[in-house]
Amino acid sequence: MFLELGITTSPEYPSIIKLGREQDGILLDIGCCFGVDARKVVADGFPLRNVVTSDLKTEFFDMGHALFNTTPATYPINFVAGDAFDPHILKIVPPSDERPSTEKPDLTTLTSLNPLAGRCAVIYASKFFHLFSEENQLHLAKALAGLLSAQPGSMICGEHSGSAQKGTHNEEHAGRTITMFGHSPESWCAIWDGEVFAKGTVRVNATLEPKVIRGTLAGYDRLQWSVVRM
């Protein structure tokens, strides 16, 4: 599952690569695990120097280097380890309405995501939101919104487990039943357009479809979504 490319299935993928090539934008892959999606965007033209990855533990990204036979020296992708609910790593600030007035931070020395406030052209969150309660999903959405650039076309996108009806539901994973909270496409769109961002300032798309892994139904539905600044 964690080696599966998700970002290339997003309808916004061509725009993601364009933002990197033409606008020198920053891409944050949060909850990156082994960093496979971040490596794919770099392979397709997003500048490595402008990609920031983040996960709870450094060990996940170390495993990514082992998997791809790279080292921090041979593949110097930026990585920030930490808990996304720790305000020292990621605090909630209002979405930016204008370009930052300060210099772009040195991405190679980041120990927190907070210096990226108002600077990210793309934020990608795959298989991440569904790990948390409804309350914490909203908290995380607000925190990520504060990192997004005010530039029209900047986006937050990703995929995770969802449900036709908003609420808790059971999923089967490796023979175990797990109870999770899932948004419906309608409820997911509603929190971004009107609760996280001011109503009408973003374009939100969300679709729900059965999750398929290696040609087999996974037993849960995938919510694929994007939030684009107008």
Side-chain angles (χ1 to χ4, degrees), residues 23-223:
Q23 296 189 20
D24 200 37
I26 295 172
L27 181 146
L28 169 64
D29 181 2
I30 190 163
C32 66
C33 196
F34 304 138
V36 294
D37 288 297
R39 287 172 181 266
K40 176 58 176 172
V41 298
V42 170
D44 286 345
F46 208 105
L48 175 63
R49 67 181 183 277
N50 286 339
V51 175
V52 177
T53 57
S54 183
D55 213 314
L56 186 62
K57 296 181 180 296
T58 305
E59 288 82 357
F60 291 135
F61 209 70
D62 291 341
M63 292 177 190
H65 276 304
L67 178 68
F68 289 97
N69 196 28
T70 59
T71 67
T74 62
Y75 195 83
I77 194 166
N78 306 297
F79 179 77
V80 176
D83 186 343
F85 294 97
D86 178 350
H88 294 99
I89 298 296
L90 179 59
K91 63 184 179 182
I92 294 178
V93 298
S96 177
D97 292 326
E98 55 188 30
R99 294 190 178 202
S101 58
T102 56
E103 290 289 324
K104 177 181 175 181
D106 181 354
L107 302 185
T108 66
T109 61
L110 286 179
T111 57
S112 165
L113 300 178
N114 291 325
L116 300 180
R119 297 183 181 276
C120 290
V122 181
I123 301 171
Y124 184 65
S126 177
K127 306 176 185 69
F128 190 49
F129 274 92
H130 63 202
L131 300 174
F132 311 112
S133 67
E134 179 180 11
E135 179 183 5
N136 282 346
Q137 287 189 33
L138 177 59
H139 174 104
L140 186 59
K142 289 180 176 179
L144 292 180
L147 301 183
L148 195 64
S149 167
Q151 183 76 16
S154 298
M155 71 181 75
I156 308 174
C157 59
E159 63 169 86
H160 55 266
S161 297
S163 180
Q165 299 294 327
K166 169 187 170 181
T168 57
H169 61 282
N170 294 328
E171 293 185 4
E172 299 295 327
H173 290 274
R176 295 185 302 153
T177 300
I178 301 174
T179 300
M180 310 176 78
F181 177 84
H183 274 282
S184 69
E186 294 77 16
S187 66
W188 190 242
C189 290
I191 70 165
W192 290 99
D193 185 16
E195 194 164 357
V196 175
F197 291 98
K199 185 75 174 176
T201 62
V202 290
R203 168 176 55 84
V204 188
N205 289 317
T207 59
L208 191 71
E209 60 185 21
K211 176 68 176 178
V212 177
I213 299 177
R214 294 186 293 275
T216 302
L217 288 173
Y220 59 93
D221 290 331
R222 177 181 76 155
L223 184 70

